[in-house]
Amino acid sequence: MYLVARQGALNRFRDHTRVPRGQLDRHFDNYDKAITVLIPSYAEEPAIVRYTMWSAALQEFPSLNVVLLIDDNPNPTDPTTLERLNETRALADEIVDTLAEPAAHFRAGYEQWLADRPRSTTPEHAETVAGYYREAAEWLETMAEREAITDHVAEFFATQVLMNLASDLRLNLLALNAAVELGESPDAERISELYRRLVWIFTASAFTFERKRYASLSQEANKAMNLNSYISLMGGSYNIEHTAGGDILVEHDERNPEPAELTFPDTEYLLTLDADSQLLRDYCIRLVYLLEQPENENVAVTQTPYSSFRGAPTRIERIAGATTDLQHILHQGMTYYGATFWVGANAVIRKRALLDIAETQTVGGFVINTYIQDRTVIEDTESSVDLGTHGWTLVNYPERLSYSATPPDFGSLIVQRRRWANGGLIIMPKLLQQIRARRRTDDRMRMGERLLRVNYLMSIAWASFGLLFLLFYPYDSRLLSPLVFIAALPYFLAMGSDLRDCGHRFSDIFRIYGFNLVLLPVNLAGVFKSFQQALTSEKIPFARTPKVSDRTASPAWFVLMPVLIVAFSLLTLWRDATIGHWGNAAFAAFNAVLATWAIYSYIGVKNSVVDFVLGIENWLYVDAKPKPSAQNGDITVEGVAATPAVQWESILYHGDRRLNRDLRRTSDRRRRLTKTSK
């Protein structure tokens, strides 16, 4: 499947033609549609979120709304957490205030040009617009120089986001100066397009929204419901009503002469962007242009599968980034066969496609709309299948226009990869239903698409169990044919070539192999979580990948298992060498060496010992549970029965149904505690 997807990617890269800048400008002339950038954020470092928001705000798009969806507790008690939250809240205003001056300046220049627009242009007109381009480039270069380069992510923002945009503007400046020297000038329409481009770049609205402030919105702790909460409000106006259960949003009555307290603009397109990702300057304009081509009217989602930031300081981050860069190639190949899956780090989405797959439920008396499914922790993958069931398709744009962070340590990598391994088995029945449904239509799922989709959902499960079998089953070497290793050569050679083309080393194929060995227990844990969810029908809590400056501790089990793999491989090496099974011995030696190197390079000997000791300590010591108190209607077990406090505001607001339910619970609990106390 790797080779099949790779071949499809090579075909797409060969046939791709980059749309010229002038054609993009003409397409968006007098454009009246807008795009909303949704950036879900939870416990993120403000500096990381700032890079993401700026990369979105500087997109070259006619109308752009950047919304930071903060999912932190809105009222933290810890001073450090509150300080970080306030810094994050201030980012939107910082961007708007910083852009206000250049935006007003370039808009005034454009309006002056429209007021004086001549029938024919002269070199003086070209020289004037060239001056504006020089000012814009200098503004971006000054901002880049003021950036504190603390790590490779900050360096990427300064060089690839700010300086590359400045370089592109200077390229236009070079062309305009050349025209002036020749006594020529672009025509009036082209000069109008050049002015508009500057206005697009420096004009953006930015604000924050916190769903946890409002009891009427979903409180599910996952990224999908954070996005769904805002999407459900788009296009509406609301007032805030204070109730005993918390603030709620009530639709604004149009007959009310007073303006609504909150208004959420509606847009035809959405851009979902993880808070640790960055976009290159023309991401929005190129992907929306793709969606608006006549042949793509059924495309619901388009994206550029993200690549890794270059220059990672740790070995594990560099190798994890290498696997991410390979995935960019494979996802392009999956589009070639019509097997695209939505990769949630970034995507441009037609909002009406999400309306097609929306589900509605009532929770606590409030209507909750779900567009992006949160049944599994890989919500984007399940939504891809839902969109396909409703006749929509997905497309990967064959350029690298988005970049995202990879976990810098083994602890945070465990959280990410365990989440990736969890959910494919649960989504598989939906895919099988879609295959059966399409058999009855003219759009039958072809074999290439079917195999790639099944492989994408299931490969972590069967590859993990297969590797487990190869490592631990004491099979006879006579059962092992040399053809098995020869058959694997094209895969490893192709992967090495792809790694080299992505800026990595050919020898990274061995490092990735060792990397996968230490991740084996992590992948298995994710697979078993899928079994658990399938049996219990309960949602698995969404575990966000930690993005903190300090190291994330690893669970003791995931530190111990790689050591056991090395120990068993050495035992197998000794046993097979003793009885002359040299093929098995060589394979065991290969695994022992690469797993040992992976432990040393990616986990660290010292970190392994520390995390293992902490894991044992956390298992042995359990915090004492506080005794039930008489506060808030609880009953003490010391024989002092307290009457439940009457929440009069709740009674007046919610009515008798919720009251009766709460009283029944309290009464049942009181009977149990009274019986225990007797």
Side-chain angles (χ1 to χ4, degrees):
M1 288 298 97
Y2 182 97
L3 295 174
V4 168
R6 181 179 185 270
Q7 183 63 29
L10 293 177
N11 289 332
R12 296 201 74 222
F13 292 146
R14 178 198 62 195
D15 299 336
H16 175 64
T17 301
R18 188 174 175 83
V19 180
R21 181 72 221 189
Q23 188 172 335
L24 293 173
D25 290 337
R26 285 193 297 272
H27 177 83
F28 289 97
D29 184 24
N30 298 320
Y31 194 76
D32 60 351
K33 301 175 185 176
I35 188 170
T36 298
V37 184
L38 300 179
I39 305 174
S41 167
Y42 175 78
E44 310 281 0
E45 292 291 336
I48 300 297
V49 181
R50 175 178 173 271
Y51 300 145
T52 302
M53 294 187 68
W54 267 111
S55 74
L58 292 174
Q59 288 294 304
E60 306 175 23
F61 201 80
S63 182
L64 188 76
N65 303 317
V66 180
V67 185
L68 179 62
L69 304 177
I70 301 177
D71 217 22
D72 301 41
N73 175 14
N75 301 300
T77 56
D78 179 57
T80 303
T81 303
L82 179 61
E83 181 182 2
R84 183 183 63 193
L85 178 59
N86 288 333
E87 288 182 21
T88 305
R89 287 169 171 166
L91 292 174
D93 290 339
E94 173 195 327
I95 291 174
V96 171
D97 294 343
T98 305
L99 288 177
E101 182 178 348
H105 177 63
F106 296 128
R107 191 178 299 109
Y110 179 43
E111 292 172 353
Q112 183 65 40
W113 158 257
L114 292 177
D116 302 336
R117 179 172 175 172
R119 293 184 177 180
S120 59
T121 58
T122 65
E124 286 74 18
H125 294 115
E127 188 173 8
T128 301
V129 71
Y132 282 110
Y133 268 76
R134 181 181 299 104
E135 292 173 358
E138 290 174 350
W139 189 93
L140 291 166
E141 290 163 352
T142 301
M143 180 177 177
E145 291 173 358
R146 292 174 178 173
E147 287 294 317
I149 308 302
T150 56
D151 55 21
H152 62 299
V153 178
E155 183 179 4
F156 183 93
F157 174 71
T159 58
Q160 301 300 316
V161 176
L162 297 178
M163 291 301 294
N164 267 11
L165 178 55
S167 299
D168 196 48
L169 296 181
R170 285 200 175 275
L171 186 62
N172 285 314
L173 174 61
L174 177 65
L176 290 169
N177 288 336
V180 172
E181 291 178 3
L182 295 173
E184 300 174 355
S185 172
D187 59 29
E189 185 58 37
R190 186 64 182 131
I191 287 185
S192 295
E193 292 170 355
L194 291 171
Y195 273 111
R196 279 198 298 271
R197 185 184 181 191
L198 292 180
V199 175
W200 292 351
I201 292 173
F202 292 93
T203 302
S205 66
F207 51 94
T208 62
F209 180 75
E210 300 179 55
R211 61 162 175 147
K212 290 183 178 178
R213 288 181 178 271
Y214 308 104
S216 54
L217 300 178
S218 172
Q219 303 297 307
E220 291 281 351
N222 57 64
K223 183 176 73 173
M225 293 313 298
N226 190 11
L227 292 168
N228 289 331
S229 296
Y230 186 87
I231 295 172
S232 66
L233 299 173
M234 293 181 66
S237 298
Y238 300 86
N239 293 319
I240 302 174
E241 183 175 322
H242 306 287
T243 72
D247 293 348
I248 64 172
L249 296 178
V250 180
E251 287 194 37
H252 178 69
D253 190 347
E254 295 181 356
R255 296 170 296 182
N256 187 350
E258 296 294 328
E261 296 181 65
L262 293 174
T263 300
F264 302 89
D266 199 8
T267 59
E268 184 162 345
Y269 300 106
L270 302 174
L271 165 56
T272 59
L273 181 63
D274 279 1
D276 59 348
S277 301
Q278 295 182 39
L279 305 176
L280 298 188
R281 60 189 178 277
D282 48 356
Y283 178 96
C284 284
I285 199 168
R286 292 191 178 278
L287 269 62
V288 172
Y289 177 85
L290 174 73
L291 288 177
E292 298 194 339
Q293 298 311 296
E295 65 272 18
N296 295 327
E297 61 181 0
N298 288 328
V299 176
V301 178
T302 182
Q303 61 189 352
T304 62
Y306 68 92
S307 303
S308 62
F309 293 123
R310 297 297 184 262
T314 62
R315 291 189 181 100
I316 191 170
E317 188 172 359
R318 188 177 68 81
I319 289 299
T323 61
T324 296
D325 293 338
L326 290 178
Q327 287 298 315
H328 175 91
I329 298 174
L330 298 183
H331 280 286
Q332 298 294 348
M334 292 171 71
T335 294
Y336 181 81
Y337 292 97
T340 308
F341 277 97
W342 176 5
V343 183
N346 66 90
V348 175
I349 311 164
R350 291 187 199 270
K351 190 187 172 201
R352 60 187 175 92
L354 293 182
L355 297 179
D356 279 354
I357 63 173
E359 297 180 0
T360 302
Q361 58 181 328
T362 301
V363 179
F366 301 108
V367 176
I368 303 298
N369 295 315
T370 301
Y371 308 94
I372 303 170
Q373 288 295 331
D374 69 328
R375 190 169 64 103
T376 68
V377 291
I378 47 174
E379 69 288 334
D380 42 14
T381 302
E382 183 169 8
S383 298
S384 302
V385 179
D386 292 338
L387 289 167
T389 303
H390 285 76
W392 292 97
T393 60
L394 301 89
V395 170
N396 288 313
Y397 193 76
E399 294 184 20
R400 294 186 185 269
L401 298 177
S402 64
Y403 292 79
S404 190
T406 48
D409 58 73
F410 189 63
S412 55
L413 186 73
I414 287 173
V415 177
Q416 182 194 70
R417 297 305 171 99
R418 184 168 49 179
R419 186 176 71 242
W420 288 3
N422 177 13
L425 295 175
I426 301 172
I427 301 171
M428 190 63 201
K430 268 192 177 183
L431 178 63
L432 295 177
Q433 292 175 5
Q434 184 184 136
I435 293 174
R436 288 193 294 268
R438 288 174 59 177
R439 284 177 182 169
R440 299 187 291 268
T441 68
D442 295 333
D443 185 27
R444 294 172 62 91
M445 189 176 292
R446 293 178 297 176
M447 184 58 66
E449 177 184 354
R450 190 179 305 179
L451 291 176
L452 285 169
R453 287 192 181 278
V454 171
N455 180 70
Y456 186 78
L457 294 177
M458 302 287 292
S459 60
I460 290 182
W462 66 50
S464 298
F465 285 114
L467 181 56
L468 193 68
F469 175 82
L470 288 175
L471 288 174
F472 294 103
Y473 185 76
Y475 53 86
D476 193 322
S477 62
R478 291 174 296 178
L479 300 177
L480 185 63
S481 169
L483 293 178
V484 173
F485 296 102
I486 296 174
L489 277 180
Y491 165 71
F492 286 107
L493 292 175
M495 180 188 291
S497 175
D498 293 340
L499 286 168
R500 190 166 49 198
D501 290 341
C502 293
H504 303 280
R505 289 175 284 187
F506 188 94
S507 59
D508 282 341
I509 57 175
F510 301 108
R511 298 179 182 90
I512 291 176
Y513 184 88
F515 178 76
N516 289 331
L517 284 177
V518 298
L519 282 181
L520 175 60
V522 178
N523 291 332
L524 287 172
V527 172
F528 283 119
K529 273 291 184 182
S530 294
F531 289 138
Q532 175 189 341
Q533 185 173 356
L535 292 173
T536 62
S537 299
E538 294 182 357
K539 290 182 182 179
I540 301 299
F542 184 87
R544 293 174 172 87
T545 306
K547 305 177 186 74
V548 297
S549 55
D550 298 329
R551 187 179 73 87
T552 303
S554 308
W557 174 250
F558 297 123
V559 173
L560 177 62
M561 275 301 297
V563 177
L564 294 180
I565 289 175
V566 173
F568 192 84
S569 297
L570 292 174
L571 176 63
T572 304
L573 170 61
W574 172 79
R575 183 192 62 200
D576 289 331
T578 302
I579 61 178
H581 289 175
W582 299 112
N584 287 6
F587 181 63
F590 183 74
N591 289 326
V593 170
L594 293 185
T596 301
W597 171 253
I599 293 172
Y600 172 77
S601 300
Y602 307 145
I603 306 177
V605 177
K606 179 181 177 181
N607 292 339
S608 298
V609 174
V610 171
D611 292 346
F612 182 76
V613 171
L614 286 176
I616 297 299
E617 181 179 311
N618 293 335
W619 178 68
L620 291 175
Y621 293 93
V622 180
D623 293 336
K625 294 182 179 180
K627 294 182 178 180
S629 65
Q631 298 176 357
N632 299 325
D634 290 335
I635 311 301
T636 61
V637 296
E638 287 83 358
V640 182
T643 302
V646 177
Q647 302 291 336
W648 61 271
E649 291 178 311
S650 297
I651 297 173
L652 293 178
Y653 181 79
H654 293 291
D656 60 346
R657 180 175 300 177
R658 176 173 294 194
L659 172 65
N660 291 339
R661 181 186 62 198
D662 293 342
L663 287 178
R664 282 196 304 270
R665 289 178 178 173
T666 304
S667 178
D668 292 343
R669 186 179 181 190
R670 180 167 50 192
R671 282 196 298 269
R672 289 195 304 268
L673 292 174
T674 303
K675 182 178 180 180
T676 302
S677 121
K678 290 181 180 179

